[in-house]
Structure formats: C-alpha cells, structure tokens
Amino acid sequence: MDSGVARNHLQEKNLALDVALRLRPKLQAKGFNIVMTRSTDVFIPLNTRAAISNAHSSVFFVSIHFNDSPARYIHGATVYYHSAMSAPIAQTIANSLGQITFNRGIMTANFRVLRKNRYPAVLVECGFISNKAEAARCGTPEFREQLATKIAQAIVQARYSVPAEPQAPLGGY
C-alpha cells in the first residue's frame, strides 16, 4: 500500500484525493465525462490506473500528487509527461498553476502511469509538502480549491484552444 509522502502533519494521499474530488465537478460542469481511478482512500496499482485510462477513448489522464524533497527549500508545482502528445497539456497546466504558485515547469518522466497510457497523460505535482511554508499552504482547503480550479481551467483550455507556450517560472511563492 502506497500512501505517498507524509510530511509536516500532511499525507499526500489525502491532499491528492481532495484536489481530485474538487476537480471532478468543475470538469463535469464543462461537459467532460470523468472517470476516476479512485474516489475513496484506496490504493490502485499503477498498471491498473493506466489500464482504466486506456479502456476509454479521447481522454486526458491527469494524476494528482504532492512532492517531497530532502532539500526543504524547494517549492512549486511541476508537471510531468512522457510522450510528445502530452507536452501541450502539460505546458497548459503548468502555466495555469503558475498563476497561483511557483511554476517549476514541465519535465519528461518515465513514470509507469505516463508510459503505459495511450492517450495524453500528465502527472501534476502540486507542491512540496516537505517545504514548511508550502505545506502550510497545501494544507488549506482554499489552496486545494485553487489548485483544482487552475487544473480544470487548463484542461478546458487544452481541449478547446491552442496549445500553451512555455512561460518563464514565476518567483515570490
């Protein structure tokens, strides 16, 4: 059972599920059919997550996470992708999150849930709960609501608009 990072009195699994549950109605309101790999506190194996995504057509796979680092000063959101078809949505999400937190940009990664997806797939690290200030922010329902809103706005933009251009990371968060 993988519960994810546990730092500064926060558990990643709880934060990630909360953001995902906040994201669902926002996307449903925009006409998206949402299939969640989990909607309760239960572990879903990585291969199963990708298989759930691959069982549907015309999907965006978005995996929500919170990060950890031994370097406690590191902060901000990072969006990972594996295939070139996923880069535009990764950039759009990173740009959107950069409006509310430090944008660490997009990076390629060989994560199983990304590698095994046949459709655009991204893994969003919403912040570092190993950073005390960022953990305090991530621990608030208001910030998790903002995260869900910005991710939803980016998904809608990616579905219906021109792909985003890279933006320079923002400072001050």
Side-chain angles (χ1 to χ4, degrees):
M1 175 75 73
D2 180 6
S3 61
V5 176
R7 294 269 187 261
N8 291 308
H9 309 290
L10 298 173
Q11 283 196 303
E12 175 189 16
K13 68 176 187 164
N14 297 333
L15 300 174
L17 181 58
D18 184 65
V19 171
L21 290 173
R22 291 170 185 274
L23 178 59
R24 178 174 51 188
K26 294 174 186 325
L27 292 174
Q28 286 172 327
K30 296 295 185 180
F32 285 80
N33 179 29
I34 305 303
V35 176
M36 295 185 65
T37 57
R38 72 181 185 115
S39 56
T40 61
D41 184 10
V42 61
F43 178 75
I44 306 296
L46 299 177
N47 286 343
T48 303
R49 296 177 201 189
I52 291 168
S53 173
N54 290 333
H56 298 83
S57 60
S58 299
V59 300
F60 287 144
F61 177 88
V62 180
S63 188
I64 307 289
H65 296 269
F66 286 80
N67 220 332
D68 180 41
S69 174
R72 301 296 185 225
Y73 63 89
I74 294 177
H75 65 285
T78 310
V79 183
Y80 294 92
Y81 68 98
H82 183 266
S83 66
M85 71 177 163
S86 302
I89 190 170
Q91 188 64 64
T92 303
I93 292 171
N95 291 352
S96 188
L97 289 174
Q99 297 170 13
I100 60 167
T101 193
F102 181 72
N103 177 2
R104 296 178 54 81
I106 65 173
M107 298 177 69
T108 58
N110 201 28
F111 300 145
R112 189 179 315 173
V113 293
L114 301 180
R115 184 178 69 244
K116 296 227 173 228
N117 257 284
R118 293 191 309 238
Y119 302 105
V122 296
L123 188 145
V124 181
E125 291 283 4
C126 295
F128 283 80
I129 60 173
S130 51
N131 176 300
K132 273 193 187 255
E134 194 155 83
R137 195 170 180 214
C138 292
T140 68
E142 296 81 11
F143 185 64
R144 292 192 306 274
E145 180 70 20
Q146 288 180 328
L147 290 167
T149 297
K150 290 302 179 182
I151 294 168
Q153 288 171 350
I155 291 169
V156 170
Q157 179 184 347
R159 171 66 78 187
Y160 300 115
S161 301
V162 179
E165 294 295 321
Q167 292 181 348
L170 299 176
Y173 290 100

